[in-house]
Amino acid sequence: MTAALAALPWPSTAAVALVQLVGSGFAAHGQPDRAGLDAVAQLLLVAGPLLLLARRALPRIAVFGCVAVTVVYLALDHPYGPVFLSAVVAAGHAVTAGHRRAAVGGMLLLWAGLLITADRPLDWGEAVAAGAWMVAVLAISELVRIRRAQRAAEQAEQAAAERRRADEERLRIARELHDVLAHSISVINVQAGMGLALLDSDPEQTRAALTTIRSASREALGEVRQVLDTLRASGAAPRAPAPGLDRLPDLAEQAAHAGLRVETSTEGTPAPLPPGADLAAFRIVQEALTNIVRHSGSRTARLRLRYAPGLLDIRIDDDGPATGAGAGGGNGLVGMRERAAALGGTVTAGPRPDGGFRVDARLPRAARDQASPPDLRETM
């Protein structure tokens, strides 16, 4: 109960009451033909503002109550003055709260009461003037309501944009983790299987497999730390550059340790890519090689980079055959397509007529001004 009373608009109500009491006292000096401010008049001057305390919870009652008090005050022939203020405030608040009909009805009743209680018949000019300022009150209140609604919509849009940016950043980090871990764990899995198979018969090959596992796990941990650093230091620049096509030799070396030989060829004149395209190209190649290691019986992959005007075409082929569940790439292909689509590019992937598999990615070499972030929920 105490909290509810504290939440009432006491300061504004007290201000309106003070203005009505003091202002009416000054106004009474210039109106000797009307009744003075007796106890009843002062009670009415306070009753209107008191009704304003209910304007938030009961705006209709506040409007019609303030209008009724004002009309009674005028009917008792008390002086004109700021007695209208409580009715104006109540009507204005009703409009801004969306109760236009109550506000309009209250102003019409007040206008009619002003005409009826006048000590002399008002001419049309005075009647129109009285109605005009009431219409002005309603119009100004409507403008305030519209402006508040616009401000609320802008704030909601800003909050939604911030949430979208946060979601996009989380999805970006999730995608990076998916790509790093999927590739490294695939290499580790292949090498671990090889090491177990050759543990007794070929200790040296087992040692090589374990060395590859250690190298792949170390690199994976380094990339995971780099990605997670963006979570620990919001807004800070990463301490290491994002991987790009300059690290293709590392990918080829890792694939070689997993038993996959990568043949790389380049057509056209190599040129630097925008950071986003460079990272996307690296991840697409990484995912394609990972899929070959996991889902293909081929031990050779052919990687071709073709630099055309404004375009980089990446083609990865293997001779198959497809092996195991999910052969053909599974969710990894979805991630490739989303990466390319975010940059305005495309990825096509599918089996070749001769039984092999091909991934063809086309990425623009110019940075897009506005790239729609991909929805990666399907890839997780």
Side-chain angles (χ1 to χ4, degrees):
M1 185 64 179
T2 303
L5 290 175
L8 294 176
W10 290 103
S12 58
T13 297
V16 172
L18 182 63
V19 169
Q20 289 197 169
L21 286 171
V22 176
S24 297
F26 283 107
H29 294 298
Q31 303 175 60
D33 53 332
R34 299 186 66 87
L37 294 178
D38 54 18
V40 174
Q42 293 180 3
L43 180 62
L44 292 172
L45 289 173
V46 173
L50 286 177
L51 287 169
L52 290 177
L53 291 174
R55 67 182 184 271
R56 294 177 180 171
L58 303 168
R60 296 184 181 88
I61 291 177
V63 169
F64 290 109
C66 289
V67 168
V69 168
T70 303
V71 171
V72 170
Y73 174 92
L74 297 176
L76 295 176
D77 203 32
H78 293 299
Y80 293 107
V83 64
F84 300 99
L85 183 58
S86 58
V88 167
V89 172
H93 184 273
V95 171
T96 58
H99 301 281
R100 299 185 190 85
R101 292 184 179 179
V104 172
M107 288 294 98
L108 287 175
L109 289 177
L110 182 60
W111 183 69
L114 182 62
L115 298 180
I116 293 172
T117 60
D119 52 1
R120 60 177 178 79
L122 298 179
D123 58 34
W124 281 107
E126 292 173 327
V128 170
W133 71 258
M134 295 180 186
V135 171
V137 168
L138 296 174
I140 293 172
S141 301
E142 181 66 17
L143 291 176
V144 172
R145 185 197 68 79
I146 293 173
R147 180 56 189 146
R148 285 183 179 177
Q150 290 175 341
R151 187 164 57 249
E154 291 171 358
Q155 292 174 347
E157 178 58 30
Q158 291 175 356
E162 291 177 0
R163 288 194 298 271
R164 285 195 299 271
R165 285 193 292 270
D167 290 342
E168 291 160 8
E169 180 65 12
R170 285 193 291 268
L171 290 172
R172 184 191 68 79
I173 293 172
R175 178 173 61 185
E176 292 299 312
L177 290 175
H178 169 271
D179 291 345
V180 170
L181 296 177
H183 173 76
S184 300
I185 291 175
S186 295
V187 172
I188 290 171
N189 180 62
V190 170
Q191 292 297 315
M194 183 183 303
L196 286 174
L198 302 174
L199 181 61
D200 297 324
S201 61
D202 193 343
E204 287 302 320
Q205 188 65 30
T206 300
R207 183 186 304 276
L210 292 175
T211 301
T212 301
I213 290 174
R214 183 179 65 180
S215 175
S217 61
R218 182 188 298 118
E219 181 172 350
L221 287 173
E223 290 201 39
V224 168
R225 289 193 188 99
Q226 177 184 339
V227 172
L228 295 182
D229 276 346
T230 62
L231 292 178
R232 297 191 183 98
S234 177
R239 291 179 291 181
L245 291 180
D246 59 330
R247 288 186 53 188
L248 285 183
D250 296 337
L251 282 183
E253 183 180 354
Q254 289 181 7
H257 288 311
L260 179 68
R261 183 166 60 91
V262 180
E263 299 176 353
T264 302
S265 63
T266 302
E267 299 178 7
T269 303
L273 296 173
D278 202 20
L279 173 61
F282 177 85
R283 292 304 188 198
I284 289 171
V285 174
Q286 183 183 52
E287 183 64 36
L289 296 179
T290 300
N291 287 339
I292 295 173
V293 170
R294 296 173 62 187
H295 305 304
S296 175
S298 175
R299 294 300 86 194
T300 300
R302 292 181 297 279
L303 168 62
R304 188 206 68 183
L305 302 177
R306 184 172 66 87
Y307 290 86
L311 181 72
L312 171 64
D313 183 79
I314 305 171
R315 177 173 293 177
I316 306 100
D317 284 289
D318 72 88
D319 295 329
T323 61
N331 290 335
L333 293 179
V334 177
M336 294 185 204
R337 294 189 180 103
E338 295 292 355
R339 280 190 179 276
L343 298 167
T346 60
V347 169
T348 57
R352 300 198 321 254
D354 60 1
F357 196 86
R358 170 173 292 171
V359 174
D360 200 344
R362 299 168 65 86
L363 300 177
R365 290 167 58 182
R368 296 180 68 187
D369 292 334
Q370 292 180 345
S372 301
D375 185 352
L376 301 171
R377 286 171 290 186
E378 295 180 303
T379 70
M380 296 308 297

